[in-house]
Amino acid sequence: MEKYNPKEIEKKAQDKWKNSPDLVEVKDASGKEKRFILDMFPYPSGTGLHVGHVESYTATDIVSRYLRMKGYNVLHPQGFDAFGLPAENYAIKTGVHPKATIEEAVRVFKKQIDSLGFSYDWSREVNSSLPEYYKWTQWLFLLFYKNGLAYKKKAKVNWCQKCQTVLANEQAENGKCERCESEVIQKDLEQWFFKITDFIEDTSRTNADGKRTDAEILTSGLISGLDKVDWPESTKTLQQNWIGRSEGATIKFPISNFQFPNNSQNPNDQKYVEVFTTRIDTIFGCTYCVVAPEYPLLAELKDRIENWDEVEKYTQATKKKTDLDRMEAKVKTGVELKGVRVINPFSNESLPLFVADYVLAQYGTGAVMAVPAHDERDFEFAKKYDLPIKKVIIPPFIGTLVRDSGGLIIDGWQQYSQEIKDWVVDGELINSGEFSGLTSEEARKKLTTWLEEKKLGEKKINYRLRDWLVSRQRYWGAPIPIIYCEKCGEVPVPEVDLPVELPDDVDFKPTGESPLKYSEKFQNVVCPKCGAKAKRESDTMDTFVCSSWYYLRYADSKNEKEFASKELLKKWLPVDLYVGGAEHSVLHLLYARFFTKVLHNLGYLEFDEPFLKLRHQGTILAEDGTKMSKSKGNVVNPDDVVAQYGADALRCFEMFMGPLEDMKPWQTRGIVGVYRFLEKAWKMQTRISEQGTANSNLNNLLHKTIKKVSEDIETMHFNTAISQLMILANALEKEGNLYSIHYTSFLILLSPFAPHLAENLWEKLGHSESIFQEKWPEYDPELIRDEEIELVIQVNGKVRDTVKVSADISEEEATKLALESEKVKNHTSGKEIKKVIFVKGRLINIVI
RNA sequence: GCCGAUGUGGUGAAAUUGGCAAACACGCACGACUCAAAAUCGUGUACCGCAAGGUUUGUGGGUUCAAGUCCCACCAUCGGCACCA
């Protein structure tokens, strides 16, 4: 027998698979039940595959191979998220065209992926930077546009003055440019948005073009849709927090003694400061109101504001500040609008009005009511400007104290706690007129109803989530298919003209505008409507747009007429299992869900959630427990590991390290463990014996292993599946004879984990067919039942003895045995037995 | 500050969901083979103790015949959000 030589056998197996594409290329017309197992498609970076990729790809590969052997029709494709900034930045630095950079990176990625034996169906490969793909990204943009879901408006963008360019949010973290470290400022520019906020709640709409016959379709919203998918709870929570739904009310505070315009006495001209609050129950504690510096009404009030100079100085100063500066300011600042007061509609109190930059213009109404007694921020501000603090809610614990003292401490109760955080909770209303005595919850309902009757406000739900800014002033992305005509204005590119291809003749130097703006060929076109001179939109789309629909394309990746045909979408989608990093918990997954919901709503899809089951692979840390990074030089390159130990060992090791979703440190030392295990399996081939009856203990262990490994693959507990295989291998090793029936079952169970090894050993058994055409074994419930067990004997819950007994021993017999035990007698002698607890097939506990 | 996750030997970890804590590996120690080393195989390995025995799942309480697992309080680490009214 030759030595276990991974390099040799892995090459051999890979060649064999290459020559039998039927093993992985899945047929659309198959009677078998489908499963769609998907990895998040990678960005083909120049540094190649890292061990984190290997981790999740191995997991989905094991599941895919297992399901195929179980008789499913398994779609398991892979592709490349190829647009994006790194390739463009590299072009700016070196002049190498992104197309070339990506092409080379893709080549390396595929080579590495193949060297690990992943069973991808490459016949369906997608690449988001190819015209045949981004044609449909553009088509989808137009679909959104025609349905009012893509629109243009002025917006603040991150701008790096040194690089002269717009930055994506991810590149402007902490207010500094990722590349040059200089400060990022905010600039107002015309930008394209997708109306993601239309899909937060369930929607029911008719198609804008009226073509669809069914009048209404109910599409679950981004919030409620989470209830029907099998995702990690933490990821669901993250999405919910990002959406940030808060229920509350708007309240109109009349501006006292003044009506616009021209001091009109017409009640219709009354002006208000409208605020949003989630704590309307605290309204009687409101002692002032605050508007954001950008609040539009400020300008209208100019003539009335006695200290306008001061106010203007303040608002101008805030405009210069970056968002970061505004947030980092530890001390709250603001200016009172002298001469303007507002009326609390509930109490008719006249209150001062402030402008302050701790109020955000983009959220709610851009104005708030301030209740310093029950809100930390208002408390801070009120302390600084010496504003009254009026308590109107008794927190439950203080309420209890007051009641317990027989109501005697009436004047002193306010002093129970000096800490503001004790007062921000719900409780019982006091000093609140007719609403006193209600609980916060009851009060919110009643106060809101009161407002609605008086038409001074209404129930309102606010969200943190804003519409998605999709335009980028960048080259390496899908061009936005819009043309600006001098006469017709904004004109969508006709479908027949798609794709709008990226020009090759561009200069990558950062100019502050999209490089597309300087390509004459690209820029100057004629209007598709009227034929007049026109210019193309020069912005491209955020790469997240490309990755929001790629999973749909796999169903029908070569279709030139549609993004995918309806039948094939119906056949393959939704995705049954999706595996990828937790860093995509918010953006990618939210955007992809949004796309699915839009397409469902418009009648293109029959499902409204794209990913039924989602799992994340945990980050693999370097050996020192820190993050792997190029600069620290502690990155593990999978190629090196494959060269030394082989692909099967790397695959098994990454699965054996621990639970898939855990963050875990790499330990080069540990690889030899699985390597020895694989070597053991390899050596076993010399010991096969066809003769004789198999040992019944081994049969029992084999069937337990079939059960455990099958269940562990389904629940994705690969680490324990491998340890069970090791237990079986150790037992087979110890036994004198290795029966063919045990050995072949073992090979099949091992094959999804170590496919090359299993394939080779299978061939050595004389099979010409691949092992992956074998059926996955079933366990026999009769054979996994233990006839004998170790009965645990406890005294007062402590183990004192164990005895081997028949598995179905009765309580009487067990009690008798237990009391006969010398070790038990040592602890029970002379004491009265109070109770005996018997757990069938497990233990007996004597309580004294 | 808020939300979420995690905490078990020297190390990676396991524990039929309340029933023998530390499976399976790494490492280490000793032994076998060897002139020798590597590889391989065997034995041992949570801690204290010569032993009988006792102690142990971040800390402190509780429920239970029985707690790593359930409840309460706290501590530490990691991740996300962060003036969202």
Side-chain angles (χ1 to χ4, degrees), chain A residues 12-23:
Chain A
K12 208 168 141 200
Q14 283 160 16
D15 288 346
K16 177 174 183 173
W17 298 331
K18 207 167 270 167
N19 292 326
S20 35
D22 283 356
L23 289 173

PDB file of all heavy atoms in Angstrom, chain A residues 12-23:
ATOM      1  N   LYS A  12      -6.130  13.431  -8.453  1.00  0.00           N
ATOM      2  CA  LYS A  12      -6.789  12.339  -9.167  1.00  0.00           C
ATOM      3  C   LYS A  12      -8.323  12.485  -9.070  1.00  0.00           C
ATOM      4  O   LYS A  12      -9.039  12.383 -10.072  1.00  0.00           O
ATOM      5  CB  LYS A  12      -6.353  11.008  -8.540  1.00  0.00           C
ATOM      6  CG  LYS A  12      -6.382   9.846  -9.494  1.00  0.00           C
ATOM      7  CD  LYS A  12      -5.660   8.650  -8.847  1.00  0.00           C
ATOM      8  CE  LYS A  12      -6.394   7.361  -9.165  1.00  0.00           C
ATOM      9  NZ  LYS A  12      -6.050   6.292  -8.218  1.00  0.00           N
ATOM     10  N   ALA A  13      -8.804  12.728  -7.855  1.00  0.00           N
ATOM     11  CA  ALA A  13     -10.253  12.854  -7.649  1.00  0.00           C
ATOM     12  C   ALA A  13     -10.791  14.064  -8.400  1.00  0.00           C
ATOM     13  O   ALA A  13     -11.845  14.013  -9.039  1.00  0.00           O
ATOM     14  CB  ALA A  13     -10.563  12.965  -6.163  1.00  0.00           C
ATOM     15  N   GLN A  14     -10.053  15.181  -8.329  1.00  0.00           N
ATOM     16  CA  GLN A  14     -10.530  16.396  -8.997  1.00  0.00           C
ATOM     17  C   GLN A  14     -10.609  16.194 -10.511  1.00  0.00           C
ATOM     18  O   GLN A  14     -11.528  16.692 -11.156  1.00  0.00           O
ATOM     19  CB  GLN A  14      -9.625  17.583  -8.639  1.00  0.00           C
ATOM     20  CG  GLN A  14      -9.922  18.097  -7.230  1.00  0.00           C
ATOM     21  CD  GLN A  14      -8.796  18.917  -6.638  1.00  0.00           C
ATOM     22  OE1 GLN A  14      -7.904  19.371  -7.348  1.00  0.00           O
ATOM     23  NE2 GLN A  14      -8.829  19.098  -5.330  1.00  0.00           N
ATOM     24  N   ASP A  15      -9.638  15.471 -11.055  1.00  0.00           N
ATOM     25  CA  ASP A  15      -9.686  15.186 -12.497  1.00  0.00           C
ATOM     26  C   ASP A  15     -10.901  14.338 -12.833  1.00  0.00           C
ATOM     27  O   ASP A  15     -11.583  14.568 -13.833  1.00  0.00           O
ATOM     28  CB  ASP A  15      -8.404  14.450 -12.940  1.00  0.00           C
ATOM     29  CG  ASP A  15      -7.206  15.385 -12.947  1.00  0.00           C
ATOM     30  OD1 ASP A  15      -7.437  16.626 -12.880  1.00  0.00           O
ATOM     31  OD2 ASP A  15      -6.063  14.907 -12.983  1.00  0.00           O
ATOM     32  N   LYS A  16     -11.160  13.384 -11.982  1.00  0.00           N
ATOM     33  CA  LYS A  16     -12.293  12.504 -12.212  1.00  0.00           C
ATOM     34  C   LYS A  16     -13.608  13.304 -12.216  1.00  0.00           C
ATOM     35  O   LYS A  16     -14.452  13.124 -13.087  1.00  0.00           O
ATOM     36  CB  LYS A  16     -12.335  11.430 -11.123  1.00  0.00           C
ATOM     37  CG  LYS A  16     -13.530  10.488 -11.234  1.00  0.00           C
ATOM     38  CD  LYS A  16     -13.426   9.373 -10.218  1.00  0.00           C
ATOM     39  CE  LYS A  16     -14.574   8.387 -10.362  1.00  0.00           C
ATOM     40  NZ  LYS A  16     -14.405   7.224  -9.490  1.00  0.00           N
ATOM     41  N   TRP A  17     -13.737  14.202 -11.242  1.00  0.00           N
ATOM     42  CA  TRP A  17     -14.974  14.988 -11.149  1.00  0.00           C
ATOM     43  C   TRP A  17     -15.134  15.928 -12.337  1.00  0.00           C
ATOM     44  O   TRP A  17     -16.232  16.190 -12.799  1.00  0.00           O
ATOM     45  CB  TRP A  17     -15.014  15.772  -9.835  1.00  0.00           C
ATOM     46  CG  TRP A  17     -14.998  14.876  -8.620  1.00  0.00           C
ATOM     47  CD1 TRP A  17     -15.487  13.602  -8.547  1.00  0.00           C
ATOM     48  CD2 TRP A  17     -14.460  15.174  -7.333  1.00  0.00           C
ATOM     49  NE1 TRP A  17     -15.290  13.093  -7.286  1.00  0.00           N
ATOM     50  CE2 TRP A  17     -14.662  14.031  -6.515  1.00  0.00           C
ATOM     51  CE3 TRP A  17     -13.818  16.278  -6.777  1.00  0.00           C
ATOM     52  CZ2 TRP A  17     -14.253  13.976  -5.177  1.00  0.00           C
ATOM     53  CZ3 TRP A  17     -13.421  16.236  -5.449  1.00  0.00           C
ATOM     54  CH2 TRP A  17     -13.633  15.086  -4.659  1.00  0.00           C
ATOM     55  N   LYS A  18     -13.985  16.467 -12.771  1.00  0.00           N
ATOM     56  CA  LYS A  18     -14.033  17.385 -13.908  1.00  0.00           C
ATOM     57  C   LYS A  18     -14.607  16.681 -15.136  1.00  0.00           C
ATOM     58  O   LYS A  18     -15.298  17.274 -15.942  1.00  0.00           O
ATOM     59  CB  LYS A  18     -12.616  17.911 -14.199  1.00  0.00           C
ATOM     60  CG  LYS A  18     -12.614  19.274 -14.852  1.00  0.00           C
ATOM     61  CD  LYS A  18     -11.235  19.917 -14.841  1.00  0.00           C
ATOM     62  CE  LYS A  18     -10.996  20.750 -13.594  1.00  0.00           C
ATOM     63  NZ  LYS A  18      -9.580  21.134 -13.423  1.00  0.00           N
ATOM     64  N   ASN A  19     -14.307  15.384 -15.226  1.00  0.00           N
ATOM     65  CA  ASN A  19     -14.786  14.613 -16.382  1.00  0.00           C
ATOM     66  C   ASN A  19     -16.206  14.083 -16.210  1.00  0.00           C
ATOM     67  O   ASN A  19     -16.720  13.444 -17.109  1.00  0.00           O
ATOM     68  CB  ASN A  19     -13.832  13.455 -16.667  1.00  0.00           C
ATOM     69  CG  ASN A  19     -12.499  13.981 -17.162  1.00  0.00           C
ATOM     70  OD1 ASN A  19     -12.448  15.008 -17.854  1.00  0.00           O
ATOM     71  ND2 ASN A  19     -11.421  13.327 -16.771  1.00  0.00           N
ATOM     72  N   SER A  20     -16.785  14.279 -15.043  1.00  0.00           N
ATOM     73  CA  SER A  20     -18.188  13.876 -14.894  1.00  0.00           C
ATOM     74  C   SER A  20     -19.007  15.019 -14.310  1.00  0.00           C
ATOM     75  O   SER A  20     -19.391  15.004 -13.150  1.00  0.00           O
ATOM     76  CB  SER A  20     -18.318  12.617 -14.033  1.00  0.00           C
ATOM     77  OG  SER A  20     -17.343  12.612 -13.020  1.00  0.00           O
ATOM     78  N   PRO A  21     -19.242  16.036 -15.158  1.00  0.00           N
ATOM     79  CA  PRO A  21     -19.954  17.230 -14.689  1.00  0.00           C
ATOM     80  C   PRO A  21     -21.365  16.941 -14.173  1.00  0.00           C
ATOM     81  O   PRO A  21     -21.897  17.730 -13.406  1.00  0.00           O
ATOM     82  CB  PRO A  21     -20.004  18.135 -15.922  1.00  0.00           C
ATOM     83  CG  PRO A  21     -19.735  17.249 -17.088  1.00  0.00           C
ATOM     84  CD  PRO A  21     -18.883  16.130 -16.579  1.00  0.00           C
ATOM     85  N   ASP A  22     -21.919  15.793 -14.546  1.00  0.00           N
ATOM     86  CA  ASP A  22     -23.270  15.476 -14.084  1.00  0.00           C
ATOM     87  C   ASP A  22     -23.369  15.393 -12.568  1.00  0.00           C
ATOM     88  O   ASP A  22     -24.451  15.515 -12.004  1.00  0.00           O
ATOM     89  CB  ASP A  22     -23.734  14.138 -14.670  1.00  0.00           C
ATOM     90  CG  ASP A  22     -24.155  14.315 -16.116  1.00  0.00           C
ATOM     91  OD1 ASP A  22     -24.149  15.472 -16.584  1.00  0.00           O
ATOM     92  OD2 ASP A  22     -24.470  13.301 -16.766  1.00  0.00           O
ATOM     93  N   LEU A  23     -22.230  15.175 -11.937  1.00  0.00           N
ATOM     94  CA  LEU A  23     -22.246  15.087 -10.480  1.00  0.00           C
ATOM     95  C   LEU A  23     -22.718  16.385  -9.841  1.00  0.00           C
ATOM     96  O   LEU A  23     -23.312  16.372  -8.767  1.00  0.00           O
ATOM     97  CB  LEU A  23     -20.852  14.746  -9.955  1.00  0.00           C
ATOM     98  CG  LEU A  23     -20.343  13.320 -10.201  1.00  0.00           C
ATOM     99  CD1 LEU A  23     -18.886  13.206  -9.781  1.00  0.00           C
ATOM    100  CD2 LEU A  23     -21.195  12.309  -9.442  1.00  0.00           C
TER     101      LEU A  23
END
